[in-house]
Amino acid sequence: MKDIQVRSLFREPDKYADQEITVHGWIRTNRGSNKFGFIELNDGTFFKSVQVVYEAEFLNNFEEISKAPIAAALMVKGTFVLTPQAKQPFEIKAKEVVIEADSDSDYPLQKKRHSMEFLREIAHLRPRSNTFSAVFRVRSLAAYAIHKFFQERDFVYVHTPIVTGSDCEGAGEMFRITTLDMENLPKTEDGKIDYSQDFFGKETSLTVSGQLEAETFALAFRNVYTFGPTFRAENSNTARHASEFWMIEPEVAFADLSDNMDLAEDMIKYIIRYVLEHAPEEMEFFGKFMDKGLLERLTALVNAEFARVTYTEAVELLKKSGKKFEYPVEWGIDLQTEHERYLTEEIYKKPVFVTDYPKDIKAFYMRLNDDGKTVAACDLLVPGVGEIIGGSQREERYDVLKSRMDELSLDEKDYWWYMDLRKYGGVKHAGYGLGFERIIMYLTGISNIRDVLPFPRTPKTAEF
Amino acid sequence: MKDIQVRSLFREPDKYADQEITVHGWIRTNRGSNKFGFIELNDGTFFKSVQVVYEAEFLNNFEEISKAPIAAALMVKGTFVLTPQAKQPFEIKAKEVVIEADSDSDYPLQKKRHSMEFLREIAHLRPRSNTFSAVFRVRSLAAYAIHKFFQERDFVYVHTPIVTGSDCEGAGEMFRITTLDMENLPKTEDGKIDYSQDFFGKETSLTVSGQLEAETFALAFRNVYTFGPTFRAENSNTARHASEFWMIEPEVAFADLSDNMDLAEDMIKYIIRYVLEHAPEEMEFFGKFMDKGLLERLTALVNAEFARVTYTEAVELLKKSGKKFEYPVEWGIDLQTEHERYLTEEIYKKPVFVTDYPKDIKAFYMRLNDDGKTVAACDLLVPGVGEIIGGSQREERYDVLKSRMDELSLDEKDYWWYMDLRKYGGVKHAGYGLGFERIIMYLTGISNIRDVLPFPRTPKTAEF
């Protein structure tokens, strides 16, 4: 019989009852006496391990197997037996066990509690632990849920470029890309570095957002989204910031701010529902060991109708609340996490979109409201985290955009193609950005972004 | 009634027959007399446009609409009428037409044939043309098909890092990433550039492959895949190479070369089937205008059982063929495109895996065969293109890998975590890489990689 993956055993145990099966996997634990032993065998396809029972009576190599170390890879042939009376739902009674790859007693991931910091140092092995097995399966499922959500709605997935020739995206500090010989940089006549000799013939950087390019596609396909890596060269060592992270940026033509919020709300609920349904064991684990209130909070979110409040109203509510904040609230300030969390956790007790922020604290491309002071922006705040999505209706009016750029001393020439969109059928459109790691942290209860990225990149850290 | 997307009209016309509907979209063509006119309205959700008929009798703004230019965005209300006798299957008889965003007579994408070179210069507008609308929808669908294929098989999607701290991947020239002040580089005492002051505290580059990191995940989850951007700083201006492109790299534990080929064959067929089914209009367009033999070739591929031949046998077949090649064939050479195409197009007349290449022309991590001369590699060659996939079983034996690295003067220390995988349950495993743009070119008949990337990056080019 072809070898069976452990996931199939857990998903359809009855199908295999009392049959001879072959499985492969790695030893998670191995305890034995001189007559028999038990191995928890994990093949990575499922969060849980299958129990293998082996007996000296049936195995020629009983001695060898009883000493097989953690992480050794095995082939096991035996009878699959349902065990309704026991702690585990079934077990394999081994007839043949072969060590396919040995391990060593210096294996760093022994069966004991390790600190998250230590596990980061062995990022090549940590997916073999319960926590990271669960994190990275949830990450994979959430990524797929996002694609599925947009594809079911006929959105076009667009790969916006990673290498960018302009530093005009305005969302943060950028990494430079070069193939110049750093020890011997070419110079122009006036002593400056001659970037015309660089690979792309000019200065280039890593993208901080695909939004501007996504807009070009939205004005062709109507409904589009990006999902790719994004970079910030900010030297900030916080639990919520990484230098390399993944972002989703939908963009929709013929849509206004309200349509934008509808889409964001539907998407968030879809992702959470999908993960709860497809990773019940992992989610139960997070609810037990990471965050006791997790499943309740996620279920509440899925069933809630998200609130909507303007920034101006939100500021009033915060001021009236009587709550003492570290940063005092006043119209015009950028809301801090403490304000955001108070709004969503205490005032609304559910997710809330805050809309129509002062233009001075938002990006140049957001659509100016009729009051001349605020822009059609929307941030989604969720309990336990604060801001998880930021979006806006885009300024589609050429003249208004131009005068906003003049105010900010942005040169129209650098944005010629972006301005072109406003000349040729530049209809109203809107979009938002979701930091992928934010939603994974929200889903898992993991509090440090370094622990939801397979190989995190942060200031002074680019290992593996 | 809520506005209807043009895709729905084409997919379920009967549902809307004789109903009042509202649509939005952009003008592709507008021809009128002084009594009535016809607009081809495209909203980007579907390859084809819907015909709007407007009459002076019903529209107050007939004059304005009859002069509305290409690319202007409209709102159209009217009656949806099936027209079984006409060229187009249905039309909208307009009762109200509003210009939501105007366009201009200098719109660069007028209704005429443009060269592909010119269209690259307006990459922000070209998705509005038939060709690029079709290309980028197919690209989106193919990307989704890949995710769907792997997720249906419970593979874990892993985001391997883009920024890499080692230049050990060995697959090509790399781009450097830095935040150092290029005009004023910090130096160490002995006059070298002090990279310890760089953002990541050392030299970093853009990844050329996620394979080595994917192996760490395969040895935890068994079945994994990557799908992300990849970079090559090679100064080669060909129609088949871009500096930034997307790659898919599955990696499977407990799998050998034969399993690897089974997976690759299933995947390729799945992608093609999915696109044929979900983009019939686009595929018909490519078959008509890009490559007359396209649909026939794709259908043949989906139904073929891929051949398998060793490199050694393939070399014999090529030598015996009597065909004069530009590069003569001899055991030990790297097969050129002319050889690959002759094998798949003339000898096998279907896709063929060539396996077990000489170790000297393949990467260090490929598993050494018992003959000591060849490695367990497999390249998939397809008619019309040549190589489309390259893969191998990985060297899982610590000692063999070590001595291979010694031969190539690779320093074990730079690969400590990769070597660790061979110490702790490093069972047999295999994987392959598919260049995403290659399969899009294959699917569409587009012959230049610059025309299947939304905003291509090539030497001296990083516009938009």
Side-chain angles (χ1 to χ4, degrees):
Chain A
M1 196 173 189
K2 203 170 178 292
D3 81 310
I4 308 296
Q5 305 205 347
V6 172
R7 170 169 291 268
S8 302
L9 300 179
F10 277 91
R11 286 289 177 250
E12 301 179 281
D14 293 341
K15 188 172 155 187
Y16 301 104
D18 304 317
Q19 292 200 33
E20 295 287 295
I21 62 169
T22 301
V23 298
H24 292 88
W26 293 277
I27 296 176
R28 282 282 178 90
T29 65
N30 184 4
R31 352 171 235 123
S33 69
N34 52 8
K35 288 274 175 59
F36 58 90
F38 302 94
I39 287 170
E40 294 292 327
L41 192 74
N42 191 295
D43 77 346
T45 64
F46 198 66
F47 182 65
K48 295 184 178 174
S49 304
V50 60
Q51 174 159 290
V52 175
V53 189
Y54 60 96
E55 299 185 50
E57 196 177 336
F58 301 122
L59 298 192
N60 294 331
N61 58 346
F62 177 84
E63 271 288 304
E64 183 196 23
I65 299 305
S66 66
K67 287 177 192 150
I70 293 184
L74 304 183
M75 187 278 291
V76 174
K77 277 188 193 172
T79 312
F80 184 72
V81 184
L82 301 181
T83 53
Q85 314 300 331
K87 205 178 120 202
Q88 73 287 354
F90 44 72
E91 61 191 23
I92 299 172
K93 292 199 180 301
K95 294 192 169 161
E96 189 186 344
V97 181
V98 175
I99 297 182
E100 298 202 323
D102 209 348
S103 183
D104 197 280
S105 58
D106 70 353
Y107 182 58
L109 204 62
Q110 295 297 327
K111 184 89 188 165
K112 60 166 191 171
R113 246 191 129 66
H114 300 286
S115 73
M116 294 298 250
E117 289 75 17
F118 170 73
L119 290 168
R120 270 173 226 148
E121 289 169 21
I122 52 166
H124 61 310
L125 301 175
R126 68 178 180 170
R128 304 175 182 194
S129 69
N130 279 334
T131 301
F132 288 95
S133 159
V135 166
F136 293 124
R137 192 181 310 280
V138 163
R139 186 178 168 106
S140 168
L141 291 168
Y144 185 56
I146 289 164
H147 282 297
K148 199 161 185 295
F149 173 82
F150 287 114
Q151 296 273 342
E152 283 172 359
R153 284 153 188 77
D154 292 312
F155 278 57
V156 169
Y157 176 33
V158 49
H159 288 136
T160 50
I162 310 302
V163 173
T164 176
S166 59
D167 57 356
C168 305
E169 294 165 347
E173 293 290 309
M174 299 175 88
F175 290 103
R176 177 188 302 281
I177 302 164
T178 183
T179 55
L180 292 177
D181 178 357
M182 301 281 278
E183 300 282 0
N184 189 13
L185 291 167
K187 298 282 168 86
T188 59
E189 278 184 11
D190 55 353
K192 295 256 167 78
I193 293 167
D194 184 3
Y195 288 109
S196 73
Q197 295 189 41
D198 208 347
F199 190 90
F200 292 110
K202 60 176 177 178
E203 297 187 59
T204 52
S205 312
L206 290 176
T207 185
V208 294
S209 162
Q211 179 202 313
L212 304 195
E213 287 92 353
E215 284 186 50
T216 70
F217 269 59
L219 291 168
F221 288 106
R222 183 165 183 164
N223 307 309
V224 306
Y225 69 108
T226 73
F227 189 169
T230 319
F231 304 85
R232 299 283 156 84
E234 272 147 37
N235 200 355
S236 61
N237 261 300
T238 84
R240 285 166 60 79
H241 293 89
S243 311
E244 173 181 329
F245 58 99
W246 285 64
M247 191 144 72
I248 297 96
E249 297 182 286
E251 191 74 31
V252 180
F254 302 102
D256 61 19
L257 196 67
S258 172
D259 299 322
N260 204 31
M261 291 188 278
D262 289 345
L263 185 70
E265 179 168 343
D266 288 350
M267 182 200 70
I268 289 283
K269 289 176 175 174
Y270 187 98
I271 300 169
I272 294 173
R273 267 196 214 102
Y274 187 87
V275 171
L276 286 172
E277 189 182 328
H278 288 82
E281 292 79 8
E282 285 82 354
M283 293 309 291
E284 192 194 321
F285 171 83
F286 290 126
K288 247 188 209 157
F289 297 107
M290 283 293 150
D291 178 350
K292 299 275 181 223
L294 181 71
L295 298 183
E296 200 188 334
R297 196 169 65 236
L298 293 174
T299 310
L301 184 143
V302 162
N303 295 313
E305 192 178 331
F306 295 7
R308 297 180 184 190
V309 60
T310 66
Y311 168 91
T312 303
E313 288 163 345
V315 164
E316 282 310 303
L317 288 170
L318 289 168
K319 284 168 83 169
K320 273 194 282 188
S321 71
K323 166 85 178 169
K324 282 257 185 213
F325 294 108
E326 197 184 333
Y327 294 89
V329 182
E330 207 54 62
W331 199 97
I333 66 154
D334 210 353
L335 297 182
Q336 303 296 313
T337 301
E338 57 172 338
H339 309 134
E340 293 175 342
R341 293 189 61 167
Y342 192 82
L343 275 167
T344 180
E345 290 168 16
E346 302 299 326
I347 299 183
Y348 286 95
K349 299 187 197 310
K350 64 177 180 178
V352 53
F353 285 104
V354 179
T355 66
D356 304 296
Y357 285 75
K359 66 174 181 174
D360 293 335
I361 58 171
K362 289 290 185 186
F364 74 95
Y365 50 71
M366 297 190 178
R367 192 179 196 279
L368 191 66
N369 287 325
D370 291 345
D371 62 16
K373 293 190 305 182
T374 61
V375 288
C378 61
D379 285 2
L380 176 61
L381 316 180
V382 294
V385 169
E387 188 204 324
I388 197 163
I389 279 179
S392 74
Q393 190 171 334
R394 317 310 186 185
E395 184 55 77
E396 86 282 13
R397 295 162 298 184
Y398 186 95
D399 295 340
V400 183
L401 183 61
K402 175 80 174 67
S403 75
R404 186 84 185 100
M405 287 169 66
D406 288 346
E407 275 174 42
L408 297 166
S409 305
L410 297 173
D411 189 345
E412 194 186 358
K413 280 204 270 346
D414 294 335
Y415 296 82
W416 68 272
W417 52 273
Y418 191 69
M419 302 306 283
D420 258 11
L421 299 181
R422 277 70 191 164
K423 289 184 197 158
Y424 308 121
V427 79
K428 70 176 174 185
H429 58 290
Y432 60 83
L434 166 70
F436 185 54
E437 284 72 22
R438 289 276 165 93
I439 187 89
I440 305 303
M441 292 166 76
Y442 191 67
L443 276 163
T444 59
I446 297 276
S447 57
N448 195 312
I449 196 169
R450 291 166 181 79
D451 300 323
V452 299
L453 279 155
F455 298 96
R457 271 74 179 102
T458 53
K460 303 292 173 203
T461 307
E463 301 308 313
F464 306 98
Chain B
M1 197 173 187
K2 202 168 178 290
D3 81 309
I4 308 296
Q5 305 206 345
V6 172
R7 170 169 292 268
S8 302
L9 299 179
F10 276 90
R11 288 287 178 252
E12 301 179 281
D14 293 341
K15 189 171 154 187
Y16 301 103
D18 303 318
Q19 293 200 31
E20 295 288 294
I21 62 170
T22 302
V23 297
H24 293 88
W26 293 277
I27 296 177
R28 281 284 177 90
T29 65
N30 184 4
R31 343 166 248 128
S33 68
N34 52 9
K35 288 276 176 61
F36 58 90
F38 302 94
I39 287 170
E40 293 293 326
L41 193 74
N42 191 294
D43 76 347
T45 65
F46 197 66
F47 182 65
K48 296 182 176 174
S49 304
V50 60
Q51 174 159 291
V52 175
V53 189
Y54 60 96
E55 300 183 50
E57 196 179 336
F58 302 122
L59 299 192
N60 294 332
N61 58 347
F62 177 84
E63 270 288 303
E64 182 196 24
I65 297 306
S66 66
K67 287 178 192 148
I70 294 185
L74 305 182
M75 187 279 292
V76 175
K77 277 187 193 173
T79 312
F80 184 73
V81 184
L82 300 182
T83 53
Q85 314 301 328
K87 204 179 121 202
Q88 73 286 353
F90 45 72
E91 62 190 23
I92 299 172
K93 291 197 181 302
K95 294 190 170 165
E96 188 187 345
V97 180
V98 175
I99 297 182
E100 297 203 323
D102 209 348
S103 183
D104 198 280
S105 57
D106 71 354
Y107 181 58
L109 204 62
Q110 294 297 327
K111 184 89 189 165
K112 60 166 191 171
R113 246 190 129 67
H114 300 286
S115 73
M116 294 299 249
E117 289 73 17
F118 170 73
L119 290 167
R120 271 173 225 148
E121 287 169 21
I122 52 165
H124 62 309
L125 301 175
R126 67 177 181 170
R128 305 175 182 194
S129 69
N130 280 334
T131 301
F132 288 97
S133 160
V135 167
F136 294 125
R137 191 182 311 280
V138 162
R139 187 178 167 106
S140 168
L141 290 168
Y144 185 56
I146 289 164
H147 283 297
K148 199 162 185 292
F149 173 82
F150 287 114
Q151 296 272 341
E152 283 173 359
R153 284 154 188 75
D154 292 311
F155 278 56
V156 169
Y157 176 33
V158 49
H159 288 135
T160 49
I162 309 301
V163 173
T164 176
S166 58
D167 56 355
C168 305
E169 295 165 346
E173 293 291 308
M174 300 175 87
F175 290 103
R176 176 188 302 283
I177 303 164
T178 183
T179 56
L180 292 177
D181 178 356
M182 301 280 278
E183 300 281 1
N184 190 11
L185 291 167
K187 298 281 168 85
T188 58
E189 279 184 10
D190 54 352
K192 295 257 167 79
I193 292 167
D194 185 4
Y195 288 108
S196 73
Q197 294 188 42
D198 208 346
F199 190 90
F200 293 108
K202 60 177 177 177
E203 298 188 58
T204 51
S205 314
L206 290 177
T207 186
V208 293
S209 161
Q211 178 202 312
L212 305 194
E213 287 92 352
E215 284 186 50
T216 70
F217 269 59
L219 291 168
F221 288 106
R222 184 164 183 164
N223 307 308
V224 307
Y225 70 107
T226 72
F227 190 168
T230 319
F231 304 85
R232 298 283 156 85
E234 273 146 38
N235 200 356
S236 60
N237 262 299
T238 84
R240 285 167 61 79
H241 293 90
S243 310
E244 173 181 331
F245 57 99
W246 285 63
M247 191 145 71
I248 298 97
E249 298 182 286
E251 191 74 32
V252 179
F254 302 102
D256 62 17
L257 195 67
S258 172
D259 299 322
N260 204 31
M261 290 188 278
D262 290 345
L263 185 69
E265 180 169 344
D266 288 350
M267 181 199 70
I268 290 282
K269 289 176 174 174
Y270 188 99
I271 299 168
I272 294 173
R273 266 197 216 101
Y274 187 87
V275 171
L276 286 172
E277 188 183 329
H278 288 83
E281 291 80 9
E282 285 83 355
M283 294 308 292
E284 192 194 321
F285 172 83
F286 291 126
K288 248 188 208 158
F289 297 107
M290 284 293 150
D291 178 351
K292 299 275 183 224
L294 181 72
L295 298 182
E296 200 188 332
R297 196 169 65 238
L298 293 175
T299 310
L301 185 143
V302 163
N303 295 311
E305 192 178 332
F306 294 7
R308 297 181 184 189
V309 60
T310 67
Y311 169 91
T312 303
E313 288 163 346
V315 164
E316 282 310 304
L317 289 170
L318 289 169
K319 286 167 81 171
K320 273 194 281 189
S321 72
K323 165 87 178 169
K324 281 255 184 217
F325 294 108
E326 197 184 335
Y327 293 89
V329 182
E330 207 55 61
W331 198 98
I333 65 154
D334 210 354
L335 297 182
Q336 303 296 313
T337 301
E338 56 172 338
H339 309 135
E340 293 175 341
R341 293 189 61 168
Y342 191 83
L343 275 167
T344 178
E345 290 168 16
E346 303 298 326
I347 299 183
Y348 286 95
K349 299 186 198 309
K350 64 177 183 178
V352 53
F353 285 104
V354 179
T355 66
D356 304 296
Y357 285 75
K359 67 174 183 177
D360 293 334
I361 58 171
K362 288 291 184 184
F364 75 95
Y365 50 71
M366 297 191 179
R367 192 178 197 278
L368 191 65
N369 287 325
D370 291 345
D371 62 16
K373 293 189 305 182
T374 61
V375 289
C378 60
D379 285 3
L380 176 60
L381 317 180
V382 294
V385 169
E387 189 203 323
I388 197 163
I389 278 179
S392 73
Q393 190 170 333
R394 317 309 187 186
E395 185 55 76
E396 85 282 13
R397 296 162 298 184
Y398 186 96
D399 295 340
V400 182
L401 183 60
K402 175 80 172 68
S403 75
R404 186 85 185 99
M405 289 170 66
D406 289 346
E407 276 174 41
L408 297 166
S409 307
L410 297 172
D411 190 345
E412 193 187 1
K413 280 204 271 343
D414 294 335
Y415 297 82
W416 67 272
W417 53 274
Y418 191 69
M419 302 306 284
D420 258 11
L421 299 181
R422 278 69 190 164
K423 289 185 197 158
Y424 308 121
V427 80
K428 70 176 173 185
H429 58 290
Y432 60 85
L434 167 70
F436 185 55
E437 285 71 21
R438 289 277 165 92
I439 188 89
I440 304 304
M441 291 166 77
Y442 191 67
L443 277 162
T444 58
I446 296 277
S447 57
N448 196 311
I449 197 169
R450 291 166 181 80
D451 300 323
V452 298
L453 279 154
F455 298 95
R457 270 74 180 102
T458 53
K460 302 292 174 204
T461 307
E463 300 308 314
F464 305 99

